[in-house]
């Protein structure tokens, strides 16, 4: 996967199981909050169509 930008250096991220669980829970919460009736998970402010999820 090619990312257009990176929001922060990866080596500064915490790598404990608890930190991973926190990040994963936040990502899932955000995805479910914007899930459309059609099943689309793309960010509503995104201008580029990155594919069907």
């Amino acid at each position: 996967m090619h990312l257009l930008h990176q929001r922060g250096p990866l080596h500064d991220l915490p790598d404990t199981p608890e930190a991973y669980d926190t990040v994963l829970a936040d990502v899932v919460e955000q995805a479910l909050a914007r899930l459309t009736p059609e099943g689309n998970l793309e960010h509503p402010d995104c201008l580029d169509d990155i594919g069907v999820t």
Side-chain angles (χ1 to χ4, degrees):
M1 175 184 282
H2 173 72
L3 299 177
L4 299 178
H5 66 276
Q6 182 174 321
R7 296 176 190 235
L10 294 177
H11 61 273
D12 290 341
L13 295 176
D15 60 357
T16 64
E18 295 81 13
Y20 180 81
D21 290 345
T22 300
V23 170
L24 184 59
D26 183 48
V27 168
V28 170
E29 182 179 344
Q30 290 180 46
L32 291 176
R34 67 175 179 248
L35 181 65
T36 67
E38 297 82 24
N40 189 347
L41 293 172
E42 291 182 10
H43 193 282
D45 296 332
C46 183
L47 299 176
D48 295 328
D49 183 6
I50 58 172
V52 177
T53 54

